[in-house]
Amino acid sequence: MILYLYHRPTWALAVTACEKDDTMLVDQAMLKASQHDDLNDTELLNEFCQLAVQNNSTNVLMHLIKQGASVKTLRPRDVAWGETRSKAILEIMLVHGWEINARDDSRGDPNDEPFMWSVLRDIELVSWCLEHGASVFPRGQEPLRDDIITMSQRKCQQILEKAAYSATVTTFELLRSQGAPLGWRPLHRAVETAALYQAYPGEDANRGEEEEKDAKDSARNYEERMAMVRHLVDVVGIDVNAPDQPPDGKVPDRWGTPICYVTKSYGIKTDTRELVWFLLDRGADPTPALDDAKHVKHDTFAADVEAWSAQQRGGRKCCTIQ
């Protein structure tokens, strides 16, 4: 950002103006910034416009638009950055030409996703986006095929893959009802994020207040992510041994079948036994993941598989953890 890089005191005033939604303060910031020959007025207006959007400053945004600022210049990541966007801000933007389905490939950004992809944790905003023309199909992206994953598809994952990683089952199903394709990796991504969190370990007098809060937050996330994993397998019917790319594909950061995404998380100190046992109970082949676990010294994964196998030898018929 031009102003931030070269005139930080003026930038700080502009930020304060947007935080307070104060049009007089933003005028002062514009006046100070415009006194420097190296700053272009149009670029400044658009830069302040971005600040107004990111601070949900409706008065400042309308004030800047009247002076010539354009919301059309805002990239999806510019709109999504920071706190949650208010519907009032989004509605102003739509009225003044913002394209809700825009993608930014102007600089080869590795995450070339439309705005709705960034608000999947908020089902009200997802619903609002759908009601206001948002598409579950990334603009300009080729249809999915069994034999190739295009660069466009690598830069912008299918929305259900991202929803499987971070959204609720309800949001996932809302998007699926709009015809969103599953993509290659919804279950893989759900398994990946489920491995990040920890079930509640129970009360412990040795945990401080902040540690207890963290434990409960992690437990809530864990239950939500495990609910997604179960839903994808038992309701949607995704194969627990589904590949994450075409045969002989060499797409970076693809790890194999869904269970391989557990061993990918070897550096994270969480208990993944319930997750691993669920996948094994539903027919997951642990062989490739066990090979990976040897290379990364993920001993707990191998122990979980062995414990599951022992249960089977002992006559265990189904997963006791549902």
Side-chain angles (χ1 to χ4, degrees):
M1 294 183 177
I2 297 172
L3 181 61
Y4 176 75
L5 290 175
Y6 297 108
H7 303 281
R8 296 193 180 187
T10 307
W11 171 266
L13 179 60
V15 170
T16 300
C18 291
E19 289 175 345
K20 294 183 176 182
D21 203 9
D22 189 322
T23 58
M24 292 182 65
L25 276 182
V26 84
D27 280 345
Q28 292 176 32
M30 276 295 299
L31 179 61
K32 286 187 176 182
S34 65
Q35 292 170 352
H36 297 275
D37 294 336
D38 55 339
L39 297 178
N40 177 283
D41 285 350
T42 300
E43 290 177 333
L44 279 173
L45 276 170
N46 292 336
E47 197 166 325
F48 282 23
C49 178
Q50 179 179 331
L51 273 178
V53 169
Q54 292 173 347
N55 285 276
N56 293 318
S57 310
T58 54
N59 292 327
V60 168
L61 180 59
M62 285 300 303
H63 185 67
L64 294 170
I65 289 173
K66 289 175 182 177
Q67 295 183 61
S70 174
V71 294
K72 296 178 183 179
T73 65
L74 296 177
R75 297 165 295 187
R77 64 177 177 273
D78 294 333
V79 179
W81 188 86
E83 64 182 277
T84 303
R85 295 288 73 74
S86 71
K87 294 175 185 177
I89 279 288
L90 296 175
E91 286 166 0
I92 291 172
M93 293 174 62
L94 279 179
V95 169
H96 291 88
W98 175 58
E99 175 48 63
I100 197 169
N101 292 308
R103 296 175 63 199
D104 175 33
D105 57 3
S106 61
R107 299 192 301 179
D109 192 284
N111 296 306
D112 177 20
E113 298 174 341
F115 172 74
M116 185 167 64
W117 271 237
S118 68
V119 298
L120 294 179
R121 293 180 184 273
D122 188 332
I123 191 170
E124 288 190 9
L125 270 183
V126 172
S127 299
W128 183 93
C129 287
L130 292 171
E131 291 166 1
H132 289 79
S135 173
V136 295
F137 300 97
R139 174 173 290 176
Q141 193 176 88
E142 310 86 349
L144 293 173
R145 289 167 46 181
D146 293 335
D147 60 339
I148 189 173
I149 298 175
T150 68
M151 182 58 70
S152 175
Q153 291 161 2
R154 286 166 56 181
K155 290 172 64 177
C156 178
Q157 64 187 311
Q158 301 306 307
I159 197 165
L160 288 187
E161 292 178 331
K162 192 161 188 178
Y165 184 86
S166 62
T168 64
V169 168
T170 303
T171 301
F172 182 92
E173 285 301 322
L174 172 62
L175 294 165
R176 195 157 76 111
S177 74
Q178 301 298 307
L182 288 172
W184 282 90
R185 297 196 300 169
L187 181 56
H188 304 74
R189 296 288 278 151
V191 168
E192 180 181 7
T193 192
L196 299 176
Y197 299 108
Q198 179 71 59
Y200 185 62
E203 294 183 1
D204 185 342
N206 294 322
R207 277 200 300 269
E209 184 176 337
E210 193 63 31
E211 289 178 314
E212 180 67 12
K213 180 181 180 300
D214 290 343
K216 289 182 176 179
D217 287 344
S218 180
R220 281 191 290 270
N221 286 319
Y222 175 78
E223 290 302 324
E224 182 179 88
R225 301 331 316 147
M226 279 301 301
M228 180 64 74
V229 171
R230 295 188 189 99
H231 181 78
L232 293 176
V233 175
D234 292 342
V235 178
V236 181
I238 294 177
D239 181 1
V240 291
N241 293 304
D244 57 1
Q245 60 181 305
D248 302 320
K250 296 182 180 179
V251 180
D253 298 323
R254 305 273 168 146
W255 307 96
T257 59
I259 201 168
C260 293
Y261 282 65
V262 179
T263 54
K264 171 186 178 293
S265 67
Y266 68 92
I268 301 171
K269 298 179 180 179
T270 54
D271 181 353
T272 57
R273 175 166 289 196
E274 179 181 6
L275 173 62
V276 170
W277 280 26
F278 174 82
L279 294 171
L280 292 173
D281 273 341
R282 297 311 191 265
D285 178 3
T287 305
L290 284 170
D291 290 340
D292 291 340
K294 292 176 183 176
H295 293 299
V296 299
K297 298 182 179 179
H298 193 331
D299 298 331
T300 57
F301 177 81
D304 288 342
V305 173
E306 176 54 35
W308 179 86
S309 298
Q311 290 274 7
Q312 308 311 299
R313 292 192 294 270
R316 180 175 177 273
K317 299 299 183 183
C318 64
C319 181
T320 58
I321 306 173
Q322 299 294 334

